[in-house]
Amino acid sequence: MQDPTPPDPRLLRNRSRLGHKLRYALAHPRRVGPHLRRAARNTRLRLRHRGDHVAFYRAVMASDTARSPEAAVGGVPSHARWLAIGQMQYDYLVAHGLGPGDRMLEIGCGNLRAGWRFIDHLEPGHYYGIDISPDILVEAKKTVVQYGLQDKLPYLTPVDDLTLDFLPDAWFTVVHAHSVFSHSPLEVVDECLANVGRVLAPGGFFDFTFDRTEGHEHQVLGEDFYYRTETLVRLAAKHGLAAHFMDDWERLPHGQSKLRLTHPPAVSR
């Protein structure tokens, strides 16, 4: 694995600390009210779904989707931003060799911010999107109709976990998860990495983004999780997957980092 680029001061922030919150509130007073309302809502939902992060985050997505499907998958209720982030994901994977014949699994496909471009690019039946939120998948179906992609036969399926147990062995040449692990506690990440290798075809890769910290790992409001790169690399190795830090992604205008997982090369005897 290549070493990540040297950390800038932002990667050392601990957003869960009171001092950081106070400094942020003073610098952005208009965001205090929305933050407090989100904190109150999340506290209520965590109490309702105590110990079940997937159920908690499904409820978060239902609430966010009711307000704005585009905001639910991107945080900013802007159609232009929705299009731009989807285009960036698409351009990146195409530049890394994504071709029409690839078979793609998108974990956390949302309302197809990038997915509609992947569906259009791939051969019919070669795109499979899963999400824990039925509400956002209803919006995904609307996106398919909006862009006239019905003949591409995309699969869109709600899931309760990331065991991927209903998917075939060694089938997907590309697995993609954008801004999924940034909202997942480590046990959910571990569940995914424990199972993704089974569905990943030989020579295929799994790209995922994550909120990177070079300081203390932490979470905010139970829905934003910050991990050190080495934590995720070790977790991948535990499940027999090799990790590569994608330096070229760091140059793009996106706040998260990206790892690519592959099966390790076969050892010749």
Side-chain angles (χ1 to χ4, degrees):
M1 186 198 78
Q2 295 181 354
D3 290 332
T5 53
D8 65 42
R10 291 173 294 182
L11 293 175
L12 299 174
R13 293 173 181 166
N14 187 334
R15 295 160 182 81
S16 66
R17 288 181 175 172
L18 179 60
H20 172 83
K21 293 178 180 179
L22 291 175
R23 288 191 297 272
Y24 189 87
L26 290 172
H28 307 280
R30 293 184 179 179
R31 299 182 185 178
V32 173
H35 177 83
L36 291 176
R37 287 192 293 273
R38 193 168 188 89
R41 183 205 64 180
N42 284 11
T43 299
R44 184 177 69 255
L45 293 177
R46 282 201 304 272
L47 290 172
R48 184 184 304 168
H49 303 286
R50 189 185 300 274
D52 187 343
H53 179 79
V54 171
F56 158 72
Y57 200 70
R58 183 181 293 116
V60 167
M61 286 295 294
S63 174
D64 287 349
T65 302
R67 178 171 55 91
S68 166
E70 291 173 350
V73 299
V76 180
S78 161
H79 186 64
R81 178 67 173 167
W82 184 85
L83 287 171
I85 296 296
Q87 184 73 57
M88 182 173 64
Q89 295 174 58
Y90 172 78
D91 289 345
Y92 185 85
L93 285 188
V94 169
H96 280 255
L98 179 71
D102 277 305
R103 299 181 299 273
M104 183 177 192
L105 169 65
E106 186 162 33
I107 299 170
C109 64
N111 65 342
L112 303 181
R113 175 173 56 177
W116 74 266
R117 300 181 191 275
F118 295 136
I119 293 167
D120 191 41
H121 180 67
L122 297 170
E123 294 176 3
H126 280 216
Y127 177 89
Y128 210 122
I130 63 174
D131 205 289
I132 65 168
S133 171
D135 299 271
I136 205 66
L137 286 177
V138 169
E139 299 301 323
K141 291 180 180 180
K142 293 178 183 177
T143 302
V144 170
V145 174
Q146 177 185 352
Y147 288 100
L149 297 170
Q150 296 93 326
D151 290 346
K152 287 298 187 113
L153 300 174
Y155 298 93
L156 300 172
T157 303
V159 295
D160 288 323
D161 54 41
L162 293 181
T163 61
L164 312 176
D165 54 1
F166 65 105
L167 297 173
D169 291 356
W171 179 253
F172 296 101
T173 56
V174 175
V175 181
H176 183 245
H178 183 91
S179 198
V180 174
F181 292 168
S182 54
H183 301 301
S184 302
L186 202 59
E187 61 267 21
V188 173
V189 180
D190 183 55
E191 179 180 73
C192 182
L193 298 190
N195 293 284
V196 72
R198 181 187 63 80
V199 304
L200 186 63
F205 62 84
F206 172 30
D207 273 16
F208 66 84
T209 63
F210 66 103
D211 279 326
R212 179 161 64 108
T213 180
E214 296 302 331
H216 293 286
E217 296 181 329
H218 58 282
Q219 59 88 13
V220 179
L221 298 182
E223 62 170 303
D224 295 310
F225 294 80
Y226 294 80
Y227 294 114
R228 296 176 64 88
T229 305
E230 53 265 36
T231 296
L232 300 177
V233 170
R234 284 197 300 267
L235 198 59
K238 168 187 166 185
H239 297 298
L241 297 167
H244 179 82
F245 188 87
M246 305 305 286
D247 293 286
D248 57 348
W249 177 263
E250 296 291 296
R251 296 192 288 271
L252 297 175
H254 194 274
Q256 296 179 6
S257 294
K258 184 186 284 280
L259 281 175
R260 174 167 295 176
L261 306 188
T262 60
H263 292 295
V267 179
S268 58
R269 296 188 179 184

